[in-house]
Amino acid sequence: MSKIKQVTARQVLDSNGRPVVEVDVITEAGYLGRAGASTGTSVGANESFVLRDKRPDFWGGLSVMKAVENVERCIAPALIGIDVHDQEGIDRRMISLDGTRYKTNLGGNAVFATSAAVCYASAAENHRHIYENVADNPITYIMSPSANVINGGTYNGKTMPWQEFMVLPHGMTDVNESIRMIVEIFYHLGDVLKKYNNGRPAVGNYSGWAAPSDDPWEVMGILAEAVADLGYTDHIAYALDCASSEYYDEEKGLYRWRGGLVTRDFVIGQLAGLADRYPIAFVEDALQEEDFEGFALASKQINSVVIGDDFLCTSLDRAKKAVEMGAARGMIFKPNQAGTITEALETARYMMDQGLLVVPSSRAGGTLDSPEKELGLALGAWAVKTGAPREGTRIHGFNFLMHANHELHVPMTNIMELPVFAHLRK
């Protein structure tokens, strides 16, 4: 047993320049675990609470000094002397110390940064990577990377409501080959968009290329054209992140769409049509995050794997409800949404035990030490979201897979062989 000797915290910046909590956990043997609390740009209503100071004259209201104080004054004294390898015991103690569903007292960011730092410190004590330290069994494969290459948003007066258009290579056993294909597609897509726009393509909100149109059919056509130009059509599946809560009009109960308003049936119809036209591996957040019944309809009507991000928020109770209703066949895995490593792993294992899809994903503007990819590899997740091959945090995701491949010498998953992706084999 190696006990925790010291817990300290500070404010640092994430990759978008926003303040975040960073925690150091130091063991009696002198090993350090350090982690920050990433948060996203698209944030689900059911995520653990991000405690900010909200002083408009100080860091634009985004500072996290209160959360830092909570780590040092409340959390640290409760953890000193505990076995650093008792991740669940430590996390449960923090959950009890906070006492709220979304960790609103101490701040989900304070709790999660500490939980992740403990995870790193335990691995350091054992001279292992996190994925080696957390894995229950030997790791036998590398996750398949998917990359967000076209971003939604408003560009040149046109608004593409869906947030991400992704590519997911398949049919190779070497993850380096998949990454090469992603990067080549991304570069060539820039050239295709340059011709389409009669000029330099814009950089999107999430480091991919800006959507050239507000029509998803047109965007998918351009993306498929770029893939075909390189001869990769038979080795590329696609994925969509609709982030539907972002363009949902709560007052009217409708979705904003190309200057008008449409029903959920219309949105489902668009997704179903695209999934019939293109090999779409998964569709993320097809509808607004509280529409469990709508997700159940979408799962029946769309020939793809409908999964939840903002919809599920890596939450075990929401995941169980969605599975029981037939409303989700998988989830995006973002541990900070749950608030502790223990809760995140519990939710992921529940989904995987059902044979459902779990896709680790970093946050837009996250920290480099965010552990979702390492945890996903430990769990045996089948696919991972790495982001576009541009900008530090996203490049870090690709390099992590390449490092793991070099060290483990195991093949990459072939998504065509996985039961949940049977629709791609038709």
Side-chain angles (χ1 to χ4, degrees):
M1 183 174 74
S2 182
K3 297 179 180 179
I4 294 174
K5 179 180 180 181
Q6 186 178 10
V7 179
T8 60
R10 66 191 67 82
Q11 175 177 284
V12 296
L13 300 178
D14 69 14
S15 63
N16 278 345
R18 300 172 300 188
V20 294
V21 183
E22 182 179 75
V23 173
D24 287 356
V25 169
I26 302 173
T27 68
E28 289 181 334
Y31 289 94
L32 167 68
R34 172 176 291 168
S38 293
T39 188
T41 301
S42 169
V43 177
N46 295 284
E47 294 189 25
S48 288
F49 179 65
V50 177
L51 178 61
R52 297 196 184 275
D53 301 330
K54 295 185 178 180
R55 290 174 49 190
D57 61 336
F58 188 68
W59 290 95
L62 297 178
S63 63
V64 292
M65 300 309 298
K66 178 61 177 175
V68 167
E69 180 181 326
N70 287 345
V71 172
E72 298 199 324
R73 293 192 178 184
C74 302
I75 295 175
L79 302 188
I80 302 302
I82 298 180
D83 180 7
V84 74
H85 302 304
D86 185 12
Q87 183 78 51
E88 182 172 357
I90 290 168
D91 288 345
R92 299 294 180 199
R93 179 169 291 203
M94 288 192 290
I95 291 167
S96 177
L97 190 64
D98 178 88
T100 66
R101 166 70 171 80
Y102 295 111
K103 301 170 182 64
T104 52
N105 285 333
L106 297 176
N109 45 345
V111 172
F112 180 73
T114 307
S115 178
V118 168
C119 192
Y120 274 106
S122 174
E125 279 270 352
N126 289 333
H127 305 285
R128 295 174 177 172
H129 295 292
I130 286 179
Y131 59 79
E132 297 171 303
N133 207 47
V134 172
D136 294 327
N137 300 298
I139 296 169
T140 58
Y141 56 81
I142 302 288
M143 301 173 286
S144 293
S146 62
N148 167 25
V149 293
I150 296 181
N151 304 166
T154 300
Y155 312 104
N156 300 318
K158 295 182 179 180
T159 299
M160 165 48 65
W162 295 346
Q163 187 168 282
E164 299 178 0
F165 293 77
M166 293 169 268
V167 292
L168 176 57
H170 60 81
M172 293 72 64
T173 59
D174 186 348
V175 74
N176 293 306
E177 283 297 288
S178 285
I179 293 171
R180 177 182 64 80
M181 292 172 70
I182 287 170
V183 173
E184 289 180 3
I185 290 168
F186 186 70
Y187 289 160
H188 181 62
L189 183 58
D191 293 334
V192 172
L193 290 171
K194 188 183 300 182
K195 296 176 182 176
Y196 184 89
N197 289 334
N198 295 317
R200 183 180 179 85
V203 176
N205 296 329
Y206 303 96
S207 295
W209 299 113
S213 169
D214 60 359
D215 181 358
W217 288 85
E218 192 168 12
V219 173
M220 280 299 303
I222 293 169
L223 178 53
E225 175 190 337
V227 169
D229 287 347
L230 297 174
Y232 293 156
T233 298
D234 292 339
H235 290 285
I236 295 294
Y238 303 96
L240 301 169
D241 177 8
C242 300
S244 294
S245 292
E246 298 294 314
Y247 71 102
Y248 180 67
D249 188 316
E250 290 191 19
E251 185 176 323
K252 294 183 173 63
L254 298 169
Y255 295 86
R256 294 181 290 275
W257 185 270
R258 306 187 72 187
L261 293 168
V262 298
T263 65
R264 76 179 181 191
D265 288 340
F266 177 87
V267 174
I268 292 173
Q270 292 292 298
L271 290 167
L274 285 167
D276 288 339
R277 172 67 179 83
Y278 299 99
I280 296 179
F282 62 85
V283 175
E284 180 182 338
D285 284 348
L287 299 168
Q288 65 94 0
E289 60 199 12
E290 297 303 336
D291 191 0
F292 280 82
E293 291 182 358
F295 269 88
L297 290 173
S299 293
K300 291 177 181 177
Q301 296 179 29
I302 301 170
N303 188 33
S304 183
V305 181
V306 175
I307 68 175
D309 178 13
D310 293 344
F311 175 46
L312 299 182
C313 286
T314 317
S315 163
L316 183 59
D317 57 350
R318 292 182 68 84
K320 285 183 175 180
K321 179 179 177 179
V323 170
E324 289 168 2
M325 292 181 63
R329 295 175 62 203
M331 75 169 192
I332 297 294
F333 176 66
K334 295 177 178 175
N336 82 292
Q337 291 178 326
T340 64
I341 298 294
T342 295
E343 291 166 290
L345 291 176
E346 188 177 26
T347 306
R349 284 172 175 144
Y350 166 77
M351 296 296 281
M352 294 183 72
D353 286 346
Q354 313 300 311
L356 303 178
L357 181 64
V358 170
V359 183
S361 174
S362 56
R363 304 307 301 260
T367 60
L368 288 180
D369 51 35
S370 190
E372 64 284 330
K373 289 175 286 296
E374 295 225 23
L375 297 175
L377 186 58
L379 287 164
W382 299 327
V384 60
K385 282 180 65 173
T386 49
R390 173 168 44 205
E391 188 266 317
T393 52
R394 291 152 174 97
I395 294 297
H396 183 74
F398 289 107
N399 287 344
F400 166 76
L401 294 174
M402 297 170 96
H403 291 155
N405 180 69
H406 180 77
E407 293 171 10
L408 295 172
H409 304 290
V410 295
M412 186 187 75
T413 57
N414 182 359
I415 61 171
M416 287 296 189
E417 298 176 355
L418 301 171
V420 75
F421 289 132
H423 67 284
L424 295 178
R425 298 194 290 269
K426 294 179 180 179

